[in-house]
Amino acid sequence: MKTISRFWMMNTILLSTMTTGVTGQTTDGSQPHVMDVEAKVKAVTVYRGRASVTRQGVIPLKAGVSELRFLLLPESIQPQTLQARVSGGAHVLEVQYDQVSMSEITTPETAQLDAVIKTLESNQDQLSRQIQVIQFQENFLSQVGIRATNDATDRGGTSNLDLDAVREQFAFVTDEQIKLLEKRGELETEMKKIQADLRDAMTRRQTIAGSSGLMRLAIVTLEATEAGDNTIDLTYLVTNATWQPTYNVRAASDGSSVTIEYDAMLNQRTGEDWNGVTMTLSTAQPTMAANPPRLQPWYVDVQQKNSSSPRNKSRELMAVEGGGLTGSPVADEYSGFGYDAEVAGEGPAVSYRLPRPVTVKTNIAKQQRSRIANIQTSGEFIHLALPALTESVYIRGELTNSSEYQLLPGPVSIFVDQDFVGPTQLDSIAPGGAIQMFFGIDPSITITRTLLEKKTSKTGLLGGGLKTTYDYRIVVENGAGKAILLEIWDRTPVSRSDRITVDLVNLSHPLAQDTEYVQEQRPQGLLKWSLGIPSEARGANALVLKYGVRINRAKDVKMTPLPD
């Protein structure tokens, strides 16, 4: 096989003529110095659906014009995004993109993989033959056993039957079959491993070649004023890469502390591995279109007899909306600063620079989790009860985003101590913003709601009206061993007619008076009590809350059904 360096030395003129805009000559007619660059992926910025990849290499340049070839670019590359930067006394003249059939070229990596594949295929063939030999031996022993059985049968009841010899024959056959069975099991296990390694090597080989069987390369032409080492970066966008925020929230059962584990779920199928790279996660949305789309006028008119059908009109409307504001690339409006990961950006997008090297393999079905930050916070824990719906009492945490991070929308797994409580969803939370989150059910707090009486009676001197009375009792018992703050929610009917009145009466405890409740929830018939429940509130000392509802209307008013 030809090595990569020999290939390029023999085919410099051929590939130069294949590359659009590359003449293969300098301005004075001499050939540029051609080098194959071995540049590893050093930095990756992952967006939603794309990634910006930077390869870096230190190149010993000669004075004059050089042509550097970056090989094995991934199949998911967007060629028009290629750009190069060089340090030292050199500057980039142009960057070109080309594709070469993999059948025409062998790189050190593909040569190594081809050798591995050849060795594995040879080992597979050898194991297959050994297994066939064992199967032949097993068949032979089976025939020996059958022969011994037939002989013993023929001699049965005669003096020629030698029982010891028969036993020895059967013991021999059995021992040999066990040995062969164990040997075949070992070979089949080894065969499975070789087949798995072979599939992996062939997948790696196919990944390098891509589904098209082409090798992609970038050709960077630059000019150096003097000889010396120069660092060159090649950057490009790739598709099939993304990240999503996800969280674990861990609270101590006594409410003393809460930790928010802010993680990123990474996944990439770009066709190249990212090994030990400097990684940045960004909420920006890179787009190939630098200009916004044009919003076309939207006309309406009186429909004519021969006008286009409503179906066609719908298509026209969709085209206008799709090319207008609804289809424009707008960046997510997140802002924030960093803590564990360094965060950059105060505008419509924010970037998190992870503080450690990250490795993400390509074409891995399982998403990879990487920590952005651990956020230590605290807050107030309030118990919440809705006894009209359930006797369970829930724990609600009123937390604060005490970090300098913008918490992005994402799924949350909630834990209390080491116990998984359940999943929830987090909205976008700015630094210093409030976080409301539920931490499951507290079995030590019990609440019961009882309808003491329901009756309908006549009202007025002549019985011209009707009144329906509901009287309720709510009992709360605190077995937590400490005082708690309990928020109780209930409801009353809401009248939609001036001929029906609903009154709340006989309140044993006043309703909450916070502005949000009074202005928004109370007009909807919702009842809210914010009560401190002492630690001794149980048994005979349990907290008892009572209230009544009175519904009045005229006798001739047919009202919608009331609940039992």
Side-chain angles (χ1 to χ4, degrees):
M1 288 187 176
K2 297 173 288 185
T3 65
I4 187 64
S5 57
R6 289 178 55 198
F7 175 84
W8 287 118
M9 290 176 63
M10 297 172 63
N11 295 278
T12 298
I13 298 178
L14 173 62
L15 284 180
S16 296
T17 56
M18 290 170 61
T19 306
T20 304
V22 179
T23 63
Q25 291 185 336
T26 63
T27 54
D28 62 1
S30 61
Q31 294 290 335
H33 179 60
V34 178
M35 295 182 65
D36 300 324
V37 178
E38 188 172 336
K40 296 182 179 180
V41 176
K42 288 293 185 181
V44 177
T45 298
V46 185
Y47 305 99
R48 306 292 181 85
R50 298 183 188 179
S52 174
V53 178
T54 298
R55 294 190 181 193
Q56 187 179 87
V58 178
I59 313 301
L61 293 177
K62 295 182 178 180
V65 177
S66 296
E67 203 173 78
L68 308 181
R69 305 180 189 275
F70 293 79
L71 310 177
L72 301 176
L73 299 182
E75 187 175 10
S76 60
I77 189 174
Q78 296 181 314
Q80 58 271 53
T81 65
L82 275 166
Q83 55 180 312
R85 295 182 298 274
V86 64
S87 65
H91 62 277
V92 177
L93 300 178
E94 62 181 347
V95 180
Q96 297 290 331
Y97 174 78
D98 200 1
Q99 297 182 147
V100 179
S101 173
M102 286 299 294
S103 62
E104 303 175 18
I105 186 170
T106 300
T107 70
E109 187 175 359
T110 57
Q112 182 180 6
L113 281 172
D114 288 339
V116 170
I117 290 171
K118 184 177 180 180
T119 300
L120 290 172
E121 288 176 339
S122 176
N123 293 342
Q124 183 177 244
D125 291 340
Q126 292 179 12
L127 282 177
S128 179
R129 288 193 292 269
Q130 292 181 42
I131 291 173
Q132 289 177 354
V133 169
I134 289 179
Q135 289 173 339
F136 173 80
Q137 292 174 333
E138 288 175 336
N139 292 334
F140 175 77
L141 282 174
S142 296
Q143 294 299 320
V144 170
I146 293 172
R147 176 68 178 272
T149 302
N150 292 336
D151 289 346
T153 301
D154 293 341
R155 297 172 184 174
T158 68
S159 60
N160 294 327
L161 178 62
D162 188 344
L163 291 177
D164 291 337
V166 172
R167 291 192 188 97
E168 290 179 1
Q169 288 177 336
F170 279 117
F172 169 78
V173 171
T174 301
D175 290 344
E176 292 301 313
Q177 285 179 329
I178 292 173
K179 293 177 182 178
L180 291 175
L181 187 62
E182 292 175 349
K183 182 61 177 176
R184 181 155 61 91
E186 294 173 358
L187 293 177
E188 288 175 346
T189 299
E190 188 175 354
M191 174 69 83
K192 290 179 181 179
K193 182 179 183 306
I194 288 177
Q195 290 173 341
D197 292 343
L198 183 59
R199 285 194 302 270
D200 181 66
M202 295 181 73
T203 299
R204 300 289 301 160
R205 184 65 168 84
Q206 179 62 32
T207 298
I208 293 174
S211 59
S212 61
L214 297 175
M215 186 188 74
R216 288 147 292 277
L217 63 147
I219 304 170
V220 180
T221 304
L222 49 82
E223 185 175 21
T225 56
E226 58 183 5
D229 291 343
N230 289 261
T231 300
I232 184 166
D233 293 338
L234 183 75
T235 302
Y236 47 87
L237 280 180
V238 291
T239 57
N240 303 327
T242 192
W243 76 280
Q244 295 291 336
T246 187
Y247 305 87
N248 288 332
V249 175
R250 302 183 184 275
S253 57
D254 60 2
S256 60
S257 66
V258 178
T259 300
I260 301 174
E261 298 173 350
Y262 188 5
D263 293 341
M265 299 302 291
L266 302 166
N267 184 265
Q268 65 108 340
R269 297 176 178 272
T270 63
E272 65 181 347
D273 292 336
W274 303 336
N275 295 315
V277 301
T278 300
M279 180 164 289
T280 300
L281 307 175
S282 177
T283 63
Q285 298 293 332
T287 174
M288 299 303 298
N291 298 329
R294 177 178 296 179
L295 185 64
Q296 300 293 339
W298 180 4
Y299 300 104
V300 294
D301 200 350
V302 177
Q303 185 174 353
Q304 304 299 322
K305 291 183 178 181
N306 296 327
S307 64
S308 59
S309 66
R311 182 177 180 181
N312 290 334
K313 286 294 184 183
S314 297
R315 290 181 178 177
E316 293 171 9
L317 177 59
M318 289 171 63
V320 172
E321 292 181 341
L325 297 179
T326 57
S328 62
V330 180
D332 294 337
E333 296 184 359
Y334 303 125
S335 61
F337 300 92
Y339 179 66
D340 289 6
E342 180 183 352
V343 180
E346 302 180 44
V350 61
S351 297
Y352 304 96
R353 296 190 185 95
L354 302 186
R356 61 198 167 278
V358 177
T359 296
V360 184
K361 299 294 185 180
T362 187
N363 298 334
I364 302 298
K366 184 179 179 181
Q367 289 184 312
Q368 180 169 321
R369 196 178 194 118
S370 186
R371 180 62 44 85
I372 296 175
N374 287 318
I375 302 171
Q376 301 295 332
T377 186
S378 61
E380 184 180 20
F381 288 87
I382 300 171
H383 286 70
L384 177 74
L386 299 95
L389 303 178
T390 176
E391 293 186 353
S392 297
V393 178
Y394 293 81
I395 304 172
R396 186 182 70 212
E398 302 288 348
L399 311 177
T400 301
N401 179 9
S402 57
S403 73
E404 295 180 319
Y405 282 92
Q406 175 75 36
L407 303 183
L408 307 178
V412 181
S413 295
I414 299 177
F415 298 84
V416 175
D417 292 333
Q418 300 302 316
D419 297 326
F420 175 68
V421 174
T424 187
Q425 191 74 17
L426 185 69
D427 295 328
S428 181
I429 307 294
I435 306 171
Q436 187 178 95
M437 191 169 294
F438 287 91
F439 290 85
I441 296 171
D442 188 345
S444 66
I445 311 297
T446 61
I447 186 167
T448 56
R449 176 180 183 263
T450 304
L451 176 60
L452 299 176
E453 183 181 39
K454 175 192 174 184
K455 66 179 181 179
T456 299
S457 58
K458 294 180 180 181
T459 61
L461 293 176
L462 301 177
L466 293 175
K467 178 176 69 175
T468 300
T469 300
Y470 290 85
D471 288 317
Y472 292 99
R473 180 180 63 198
I474 295 175
V475 178
V476 180
E477 296 197 57
N478 180 5
K482 61 180 180 180
I484 65 167
L485 179 62
L486 178 62
E487 196 173 281
I488 302 175
W489 287 84
D490 210 327
R491 63 187 175 186
T492 64
V494 178
S495 175
R496 291 183 171 178
S497 171
D498 57 4
R499 302 179 66 187
I500 303 173
T501 62
V502 179
D503 298 311
L504 181 65
V505 298
N506 301 331
L507 278 169
S508 64
H509 295 71
L511 295 174
Q513 294 300 313
D514 59 277
T515 302
E516 180 182 1
Y517 167 68
V518 171
Q519 294 182 355
E520 297 182 17
Q521 283 92 30
R522 184 66 190 98
Q524 300 177 37
L526 299 179
L527 308 178
K528 175 185 174 183
W529 292 271
S530 295
L531 304 174
I533 311 298
S535 59
E536 63 273 12
R538 56 185 179 274
N541 296 320
L543 181 139
V544 178
L545 184 154
K546 294 181 179 180
Y547 70 96
V549 178
R550 305 292 184 260
I551 305 171
N552 295 280
R553 70 275 189 195
K555 185 170 61 176
D556 61 343
V557 173
K558 187 177 181 180
M559 190 172 61
T560 54
L562 294 172
D564 293 330

